[in-house]
Amino acid sequence: MSKKTTSKDKPSAKNAEASLNSGATAPINAKLSKKEKIEIYRKLVRIRRFEERTLRSYQQGKIAGFLHLYIGQEAIAVGTTSLMGPDDHVITAYRDHGHALGVGMSMNECMAELQGKYTGCSKGKGGSMHFFAPDKNYWGGHGIVGGQTPLGAGLAFALKHEGKKGCCMCFMGDGAVNQGAVHESLNIAGLWGLPVIYIIENNQYSMGTSLARSSASTLLAKRAEGYDIAWEQVNGHSLYDVRAKTWEAMERAHNECLPTVIEMATYRHRGHSVSDNEKYRDKAEIEEYKRTSDPVILFQNTLLEEKTLTEELIKTINTEAREEAENAVQFADQSPFPPEEELQRDVYWEEDNPEHKTSQGKIFFND
Amino acid sequence: MPLITYRQAINDALAEELTRDEKVIVMGEEVAEYDGAYKVTEGLLKKFGPKRIIDTPISEAGFIGLGIGASMLGIRPVMELMFWSFSYVAFDQIVNNAANVRFMSGGLINCPIVIRGPANGGTGVGATHSHTPENILATTPGLKVICPSTAYDVKGLMKSAIRDNDPVYVMENTLLYGEQGEVPEEEYTIPLGKADIKREGSDVSIIAHGRCVQTALLAAELLETEDGIDAEVLDLRSIRPLDEEAILETVRKTNRVVLVEENKPFCGTDAQIAYMIQDKAFDHLDAPIKRVSSIDAPQVYSIPLEKIQIPDAERIRKAVLEICPRSV
Ligand SMILES: Cc1ncc(C[n+]2csc(CCOP(=O)(O)OP(=O)(O)O)c2C)c(N)n1
Ligand SMILES: [Mg+2]
């Protein structure tokens, strides 16, 4: 469709750089201990090494279907999940490996899930797009664009209903904001005052479509104004900035029971999924982001400057993460596939809990 | 006849219809600049330009509904769904608006829209991406649904679908896109509602649609070589309209029927067909009608299990052997 011209520049890597680390002095960051910072860095590295390893496994044919890598966006999942208290929850879309490791899922269960193994987080039934760990307040992993956003409002509703001082962080992409369900959710969240934080991970592309070709207004968070919801734009390459702004939203949710929309500028270094020829963007653009805005390197440099990290420690953490990912592949390789009977398990609660069964009649229909 | 892929056959059908009728447009996510998520629309933007080959935001309810609205004013939109699974976010438009507007207006309005895209499992994309909603859509009066299984069929049927004045929903299959078939260079169309015998046989009729036709053909070969059973394979091609006469004819010929579909069994397309056969050809049946469908559960991700979940040749063969005496 021929598009009206807009004068707004596309957010560039340079713009992102300019505002880098303005959140470093925020109290929520200032109070981080050296040890906590190292653990945050370790998580960034673990996600990166894990995903690099999954890519190899995919190329080796161990992983089926889609593999949407989070490489380049790690500061968002790590920064936000590092703030979670016992009643804070997370739900996201299909680019979900970073959030999964962020909330503390193990590489083993994630790798096994990718390989469709019984030891996977969802017993091999969900796959890359559908990771879950409710024991870690992690509600997925959702394959349908925007489909998780009403669920995010619902998790927040339940928290409020039960009088819990918590929130739900609901992640989505820059393309997802154009799903109807997102707007319905925002309105309800604004109308009812739900403690939900909608985090738009704006990596500038939805598959092969740039932001300017998919959204009438490219200031995505501003849509919150239509629903009387507070909004923010954040440099999502910066771990400290992500934490600082997310914490403000969390306090708003915890103390005032109000929603926030935060748009985080980020960039995915890899294709949309593994099979993506990436004709829609320049190699130079990707290289520029890798050079100036890699969230792992940026935080690493910050911590080096702070003298929190040493070159040696960086090396150790990276080696350990690589080994952990390698071991996860071994774990997955050695795990069995789910047995055939698993096909019709986990479909109905009642069938899986026959001692509590009250319904009668036939429920499965193959014969 | 030249051999071309199923994907190319759709592409050719679209290009020919775009050339023939300037009211035809193509719209969907990634159909233009990206050449289609599955490259079905490759090259169309270059050939027909951005006025007619249109990328949309990820707003299925919005753009599908828009296509329905535009069709009411005489545009002939061919809408791509990246997967039919995504039709569920546009359900109101697809089943409520498209199906009802003609009836509710007392015939004043019609809705010549085509919605097409893949609807299949078998590739490990999991429960949210593997729906086969031909039965769900065919339950709605006002809609037409087709499930072509070969390059030849998809081309001829797609052209008819685009020329049709009613909403026609075309279910393709990502596992068929790369399959080759003979397609003539001269123009042809295949009417909706015409089934096709893909293999003649006399002992049993295997009736299928979509990729299950290919699976049924494999089963028929196995039955011939392993069991000495001569199976006929009838490809429905179109679910609604449905070629009842072709179904009844093959039943009268073989007196035994196995119905195969990738859908889940409850109220699947084949349930309707089984009802119709017992109603209209009861006296011609020498055995109960058998069905082979996907195992009744959400689509599983794990590949070895998904292989078990969707019908394969061995499962079809087993169903045939339950109702057919072996002759070797
Ligand atoms: C309703 C729906 N439509 C289309 C798709 C196919 N699809 C999957 S991801 C995607 C792009 C989403 O982009 P964005 O929201 O920016 O997230 P990102 O991939 O950049 O993380 C599309 C079109 C889908 N999964 N669900
Ligand atoms: Mg995006």
Side-chain angles (χ1 to χ4, degrees):
Chain A
M1 197 87 258
S2 63
K3 166 105 172 63
K4 63 183 194 296
T5 49
T6 119
S7 57
K8 213 170 288 145
D9 285 336
K10 182 160 110 154
S12 73
K14 284 211 184 65
N15 292 347
E17 209 178 7
S19 67
L20 184 66
N21 277 349
S22 55
T25 54
I28 191 71
N29 291 325
K31 72 172 197 193
L32 280 172
S33 70
K34 191 168 166 178
K35 192 163 167 256
E36 285 169 328
K37 289 178 186 176
I38 292 172
E39 287 318 304
I40 287 175
Y41 171 73
R42 188 192 303 280
K43 222 162 224 181
L44 290 171
V45 172
R46 285 177 64 241
I47 295 173
R48 179 68 58 92
R49 301 299 161 238
F50 173 81
E51 288 211 295
E52 286 170 348
R53 189 60 189 82
T54 65
L55 179 59
R56 265 173 50 219
S57 287
Y58 192 91
Q59 288 156 347
Q60 291 166 346
K62 292 184 185 192
I63 298 173
F66 300 126
L67 185 71
H68 305 94
L69 297 179
Y70 194 60
I71 293 177
Q73 304 184 204
E74 295 93 335
I76 297 176
V78 173
T80 54
T81 56
S82 68
L83 295 164
M84 284 168 73
D87 287 317
D88 296 318
H89 295 253
V90 167
I91 189 166
T92 187
Y94 45 83
R95 200 178 295 286
D96 61 349
H97 311 158
H99 308 79
L101 295 181
V103 299
M105 288 173 74
S106 72
M107 284 197 196
N108 279 3
E109 62 185 319
C110 293
M111 195 65 87
E113 187 61 31
L114 293 175
Q115 292 187 212
K117 295 300 182 78
Y118 203 25
T119 51
C121 55
S122 306
K123 304 181 195 160
K125 297 182 182 187
S128 162
M129 301 192 286
H130 310 120
F131 284 3
F132 296 90
D135 63 320
K136 300 187 172 63
N137 292 359
Y138 182 59
W139 301 96
H142 293 267
I144 298 299
V145 168
Q148 75 281 15
T149 57
L151 305 189
L155 290 161
F157 175 89
L159 291 170
K160 183 176 183 182
H161 195 74
E162 301 278 298
K164 298 233 164 88
K165 194 171 167 170
C167 76
C168 176
M169 295 190 278
C170 177
F171 298 82
M172 74 187 98
D174 50 289
V177 300
N178 297 315
Q179 273 291 322
V182 174
H183 293 265
E184 298 183 23
S185 307
L186 286 176
N187 182 54
I188 295 175
L191 182 70
W192 292 352
L194 298 180
V196 57
I197 305 171
Y198 284 110
I199 296 172
I200 304 167
E201 299 195 45
N202 180 357
N203 60 15
Q204 302 179 40
Y205 295 91
S206 47
M207 280 187 84
T209 304
S210 66
L211 183 58
R213 293 207 306 120
S214 67
S215 279
S217 161
T218 51
L219 217 181
L220 302 178
K222 192 161 181 264
R223 298 184 185 196
E225 280 180 12
Y227 305 104
D228 227 358
I229 295 177
W231 61 276
E232 286 281 0
Q233 278 187 304
V234 178
N235 174 354
H237 309 290
S238 159
L239 196 287
Y240 280 152
D241 288 4
V242 167
R243 274 177 52 92
K245 290 297 179 194
T246 306
W247 182 246
E248 286 174 20
M250 273 183 150
E251 290 207 302
R252 185 176 295 119
H254 290 169
N255 302 330
E256 301 169 68
C257 213
L258 288 175
T260 307
V261 175
I262 313 179
E263 176 182 345
M264 301 200 177
T266 184
Y267 198 75
R268 66 166 154 73
H269 294 181
R270 306 292 175 143
H272 167 72
S273 176
V274 174
S275 54
D276 175 356
N277 61 28
E278 297 191 65
K279 279 198 293 202
Y280 51 86
R281 58 180 184 179
D282 291 339
K283 279 253 153 40
E285 180 184 290
I286 305 173
E287 290 314 312
E288 169 82 354
Y289 271 98
K290 283 189 185 166
R291 204 172 51 75
T292 65
S293 309
D294 182 323
V296 182
I297 303 295
L298 288 179
F299 194 58
Q300 180 178 301
N301 290 343
T302 304
L303 294 190
L304 273 173
E305 275 165 38
E306 286 180 12
K307 305 224 182 307
T308 304
L309 275 179
T310 59
E311 292 293 351
E312 205 188 314
L313 192 50
I314 292 172
K315 212 179 250 164
T316 311
I317 289 174
N318 276 275
T319 309
E320 284 172 359
R322 254 187 218 105
E323 280 170 8
E324 191 187 353
E326 205 50 55
N327 290 339
V329 174
Q330 260 185 37
F331 170 79
D333 282 348
Q334 285 160 8
S335 297
F337 286 109
E340 191 175 339
E341 312 84 75
E342 275 299 328
L343 263 177
Q344 287 182 323
R345 278 199 205 126
D346 305 321
V347 183
Y348 292 101
W349 182 89
E350 204 179 33
E351 297 302 305
D352 300 334
N353 294 277
E355 64 281 16
H356 299 294
K357 186 167 166 145
T358 55
S359 307
Q360 300 178 16
K362 187 175 162 81
I363 195 101
F364 289 115
F365 287 88
N366 277 107
D367 36 46
Chain B
M1 271 193 280
L3 271 179
I4 63 169
T5 61
Y6 188 98
R7 170 188 287 113
Q8 187 62 48
I10 304 172
N11 186 282
D12 289 350
L14 295 176
E16 286 174 26
E17 294 305 300
L18 281 156
T19 306
R20 186 189 58 81
D21 181 353
E22 62 180 26
K23 298 271 191 197
V24 176
I25 61 171
V26 170
M27 196 183 278
E29 291 156 23
E30 311 290 350
V31 296
E33 293 195 13
Y34 196 76
D35 277 333
Y38 285 99
K39 302 293 168 241
V40 170
T41 53
E42 189 157 25
L44 295 182
L45 173 66
K46 210 164 160 200
K47 203 157 169 196
F48 298 98
K51 185 168 180 236
R52 302 186 66 201
I53 314 296
I54 302 163
D55 279 327
T56 67
I58 314 170
S59 309
E60 285 84 358
F63 76 76
I64 296 274
L66 176 151
I68 294 164
S71 79
M72 302 192 309
L73 261 186
I75 306 291
R76 306 191 80 92
V78 182
M79 317 296 284
E80 176 171 302
L81 283 169
M82 206 176 281
F83 284 92
W84 266 100
S85 281
F86 308 156
S87 70
Y88 293 14
V89 305
F91 218 58
D92 181 52
Q93 303 304 324
I94 285 175
V95 299
N96 224 348
N97 281 344
N100 291 339
V101 73
R102 174 166 177 79
F103 185 74
M104 294 190 304
S105 68
L108 297 176
I109 299 171
N110 63 315
C111 191
I113 191 170
V114 170
I115 307 178
R116 50 154 292 272
N120 61 283
T123 60
V125 293
T128 58
H129 282 55
S130 304
H131 297 96
T132 49
E134 65 270 22
N135 59 329
I136 299 180
L137 296 170
T139 57
T140 304
L143 302 181
K144 296 175 177 172
V145 181
I146 60 176
C147 300
S149 72
T150 65
Y152 177 85
D153 289 353
V154 77
K155 183 172 180 194
L157 285 164
M158 189 70 73
K159 286 167 68 86
S160 297
I162 294 169
R163 297 176 193 190
D164 201 282
N165 286 327
D166 293 312
V168 183
Y169 298 168
V170 189
M171 317 260 151
E172 301 160 6
N173 189 310
T174 53
L175 291 170
L176 289 179
Y177 283 145
E179 294 290 309
Q180 292 196 321
E182 286 192 340
V183 175
E185 269 165 78
E186 338 45 274
E187 168 155 47
Y188 66 98
T189 58
I190 299 171
L192 308 191
K194 185 142 179 45
D196 183 44
I197 293 181
K198 289 284 191 294
R199 184 186 202 275
E200 301 236 18
S202 53
D203 295 334
V204 59
S205 302
I206 307 177
I207 302 177
H209 61 272
R211 180 166 166 267
C212 279
V213 173
Q214 306 299 345
T215 318
L217 288 168
L218 289 176
E221 261 172 56
L222 273 178
L223 285 161
E224 183 181 318
T225 54
E226 303 292 313
D227 311 297
I229 290 173
D230 185 20
E232 178 145 299
V233 176
L234 181 71
D235 179 356
L236 293 175
R237 298 203 287 204
S238 171
I239 305 300
R240 185 172 185 147
L242 181 70
D243 192 345
E244 278 201 3
E245 201 31 58
I247 296 170
L248 294 172
E249 202 172 306
T250 183
V251 174
R252 285 188 218 111
K253 178 175 171 190
T254 67
N255 314 113
R256 288 183 166 80
V257 192
V258 173
L259 304 172
V260 186
E261 64 185 326
E262 189 177 315
N263 223 322
K264 308 294 171 356
F266 194 87
C267 294
T269 300
D270 287 344
Q272 172 68 21
I273 293 172
Y275 163 77
M276 188 276 286
I277 293 172
Q278 66 78 36
D279 188 44
K280 298 192 173 161
F282 189 74
D283 291 340
H284 293 276
L285 287 175
D286 285 345
I289 300 165
K290 288 282 160 194
R291 287 179 67 194
V292 177
S293 44
S294 282
I295 306 286
D296 200 9
Q299 200 80 4
V300 70
Y301 164 74
S302 188
I303 283 286
L305 243 64
E306 199 192 18
K307 282 210 172 98
I308 295 171
Q309 186 166 23
I310 62 181
D312 62 9
E314 206 42 65
R315 197 133 65 85
I316 298 172
R317 178 179 169 219
K318 236 177 93 190
V320 168
L321 291 177
E322 277 178 47
I323 55 164
C324 251
R326 241 183 255 246
S327 67
V328 285

